[in-house]
Amino acid sequence: MTALDIDRSLDRLSMEILERNHGVENLAVIGIHTGGVFLADRIRRKINAHEKNLIDIGSLDITLYRDDWSLISQNPIVRKTDISFLLENMKVVLVDDVIFTGRTIRAAMDAIMDYGRPDSIQLAVLIDRGGRELPIQPDFVGMTMKAGNYEQVDVLLEENSNRDEVVLLDKE
């Protein structure tokens, strides 16, 4: 995906979120660290540009909720979770850059429930690369691509990579 492709996908995702939720009442977006946080902010800005009421935004670190955190690192990097609004009666849209096995999203849902019980949790992702290990499917998808276990999908964003691009890399 090029920068233009990413922007078009985020435009579409934002409008689909508005349509599915019949506007912005009790709507919040929460980005999963790291790429999901940047994408959630972009989606929030696009939605706020179309609506009179502003939606809430938050960020979520799921490091210690992962079932494989001890395999990833002996000293995991824990980032800040920032949810400064009540989740009760909210329609929460979790945002992540890539969905693969579904384990990150499972961990994110566990973390969300520790902060409160929203009316619903929806999932928006920029890239669905397939390969689920858990029965978790996104509600809103920017692009679907089939990537093998030997391939890596990298989402590069202006906020941390100085360019917007999605690339498929061979791990070997």
Side-chain angles (χ1 to χ4, degrees):
M1 291 179 91
T2 65
L4 184 57
D5 296 330
I6 291 170
D7 193 54
R8 283 183 185 143
S9 290
L10 294 176
D11 282 340
R12 181 177 42 78
L13 290 173
S14 300
M15 292 304 101
E16 288 175 0
I17 290 167
L18 279 174
E19 288 174 2
R20 167 95 47 97
N21 292 288
H22 307 288
V24 296
E25 187 175 345
N26 296 325
L27 182 66
V29 293
I30 297 177
I32 301 171
H33 277 289
T34 296
V37 172
F38 303 133
L39 294 172
D41 184 57
R42 291 186 193 190
I43 288 170
R44 179 193 54 87
R45 283 187 275 132
K46 288 177 180 294
I47 289 174
N48 287 348
H50 287 279
E51 298 294 316
K52 293 178 186 174
N53 298 326
L54 302 180
I55 64 171
D56 289 312
I57 188 166
S59 63
L60 185 65
D61 180 77
I62 53 95
T63 303
L64 298 179
Y65 288 87
R66 293 188 61 95
D67 58 9
D68 61 352
W69 71 267
S70 62
L71 300 175
I72 294 172
S73 172
Q74 291 296 326
N75 300 307
I77 298 170
V78 179
R79 294 175 180 88
K80 182 179 180 191
T81 290
D82 180 14
I83 300 175
S84 59
F85 49 90
L86 294 176
L87 291 176
E88 283 71 21
N89 302 314
M90 296 296 285
K91 296 174 275 188
V92 171
V93 179
L94 277 176
V95 180
D96 205 3
D97 51 359
V98 178
I99 185 169
F100 182 27
T101 63
R103 292 183 181 283
T104 296
I105 305 309
R106 187 220 34 94
M109 290 189 299
D110 286 348
I112 288 289
M113 292 305 181
D114 280 351
Y115 285 87
R117 189 179 184 281
D119 277 352
S120 67
I121 298 175
Q122 302 162 28
L123 176 60
V125 298
L126 184 61
I127 304 293
D128 181 349
R129 63 167 287 165
R132 261 0 139 260
E133 295 175 2
L134 299 174
I136 294 174
Q137 300 300 322
D139 299 284
F140 311 101
V141 178
M143 179 182 183
T144 301
M145 64 171 45
K146 296 297 178 198
N149 289 336
Y150 58 91
E151 294 175 306
Q152 178 175 320
V153 177
D154 279 352
V155 176
L156 307 171
L157 298 173
E158 185 74 32
E159 293 87 344
N160 64 355
S161 297
N162 295 322
R163 68 182 192 278
D164 283 349
E165 185 178 26
V166 176
V167 295
L168 184 64
L169 302 170
D170 191 335
K171 284 185 182 179
E172 298 172 359

